[in-house]
Amino acid sequence: MPSPAIHRGEPVPPLISFDKVSKYYGRGEATIRALDQVDFAISAGEFVAIMGPSGSGKSTAMNIIGGLDVPSSGDYLFQGVPTSGFNRAQLTLLRRHMLGFVFQGFNLLARTSAVENVELPLVYRGMDPRERRRRALAALEQVGLGGRADHTTQELSGGQQQRVAIARAIVTDPAVLLADEPTGNLDTKTSNEIMDLITRLNRDNGITVIMVTHEEDIAAYGRRLLRFVDGHLVSDEHRAREMDHAV
């Protein structure tokens, strides 16, 4: 997607911003307010954790950021560009070119090799097979799985499968990595290894990370914490990372 034109001397807009974003489901007395007049802005290079109880609106906010849902009112801006006028094809382009997704359940193709899973977003782009294989192998190297490229997902541990999922998310060189409970299916040791990897991608590669989690120790990897309750953003805390592990 093209970025908005920025003229010399003009302030750079936030990478992501919510302007009085609300999301309602249902009508009348059955209306559920998943988000209610939410405002925040995230700059390029930040590592933001999002927390809140079930039904707080955190997943709805993540879905809107990811172009998987749209606000009922208000606006979501990406690089200063309002997305309210985007059609379905434009939202698809936003996801395909600017965003990378990592999910709790990995969402890998079974009985398919690691490298083929990582190649998939590049297939959708119509990239030359040799170039997409080169980039997929490079992404696997980056997450420490260069020696597992030809292994199927069924031959990999949970932590290795999540590394493949992260490689698939970064192979397109996205501006933003969206991680939805990325350690939810992993044990403590493996969770820390995955979070160290995500931290390194944010620190060394400059990828903006936005992560939903219900675990305080996982949220502590971020340098900023947004807390949602009943559809409202109730706190926005900037802090030093509590777990500065060596990677």
Side-chain angles (χ1 to χ4, degrees):
M1 293 186 58
S3 299
I6 303 296
H7 300 288
R8 185 173 297 179
E10 291 185 0
V12 177
L15 181 63
I16 286 168
S17 56
F18 274 30
D19 181 13
K20 294 180 173 55
V21 167
S22 295
K23 182 65 181 182
Y24 303 150
Y25 297 99
R27 293 183 178 181
E29 294 183 0
T31 298
I32 297 173
R33 298 189 176 191
L35 291 176
D36 194 0
Q37 298 281 305
V38 172
D39 291 295
F40 63 81
I42 297 173
S43 299
E46 286 198 77
F47 188 152
V48 180
I50 299 177
M51 297 192 73
S54 178
S56 64
K58 63 183 186 299
S59 294
T60 301
M62 181 69 100
N63 286 340
I64 291 174
I65 293 170
L68 302 172
D69 206 346
V70 296
S72 300
S73 63
D75 213 345
Y76 160 41
L77 295 88
F78 191 91
Q79 293 182 328
V81 177
T83 64
S84 55
F86 283 17
N87 57 32
R88 184 173 299 178
Q90 289 171 312
L91 287 172
T92 297
L93 288 175
L94 174 67
R95 292 193 298 270
R96 186 174 296 172
H97 292 275
M98 304 302 292
L99 308 175
F101 296 85
V102 178
F103 302 97
Q104 176 178 346
F106 314 144
N107 289 7
L108 301 176
L109 298 177
R111 297 184 296 279
T112 302
S113 71
V115 70
E116 289 170 331
N117 269 282
V118 176
E119 282 184 309
L120 195 57
L122 304 179
V123 172
Y124 293 143
R125 285 191 179 187
M127 184 174 289
D128 174 78
R130 287 177 296 181
E131 175 61 13
R132 73 177 185 236
R133 178 57 56 97
R134 183 193 69 78
R135 291 183 60 167
L137 290 172
L140 285 170
E141 285 284 353
Q142 198 169 1
V143 302
L145 283 183
R148 296 287 191 272
D150 294 326
H151 289 234
T152 67
T153 56
Q154 295 171 323
E155 298 172 319
L156 301 174
S157 68
Q160 289 172 332
Q161 289 185 54
Q162 191 61 297
R163 286 175 182 267
V164 172
I166 293 171
R168 181 185 59 192
I170 65 172
V171 74
T172 58
D173 193 24
V176 183
L177 179 66
L178 300 175
D180 190 358
E181 300 282 5
T183 63
N185 286 339
L186 305 174
D187 59 54
T188 300
K189 178 178 181 296
T190 306
S191 293
N192 290 335
E193 292 172 352
I194 292 299
M195 290 311 305
D196 283 342
L197 171 59
I198 291 174
T199 299
R200 175 165 56 84
L201 291 170
N202 168 251
R203 183 189 63 212
D204 297 346
N205 294 30
I207 296 176
T208 303
V209 176
I210 304 173
M211 174 183 68
V212 165
T213 182
H214 67 277
E215 300 174 86
E216 292 282 354
D217 58 333
I218 297 300
Y221 279 87
R223 292 194 178 276
R224 183 177 173 192
L225 175 61
L226 305 181
R227 288 189 186 273
F228 284 80
V229 175
D230 295 334
H232 296 276
L233 178 61
V234 296
S235 68
D236 182 351
E237 177 185 354
H238 293 259
R239 58 190 182 176
R241 191 177 285 131
E242 295 178 19
M243 295 185 177
D244 193 13
H245 295 283
V247 180

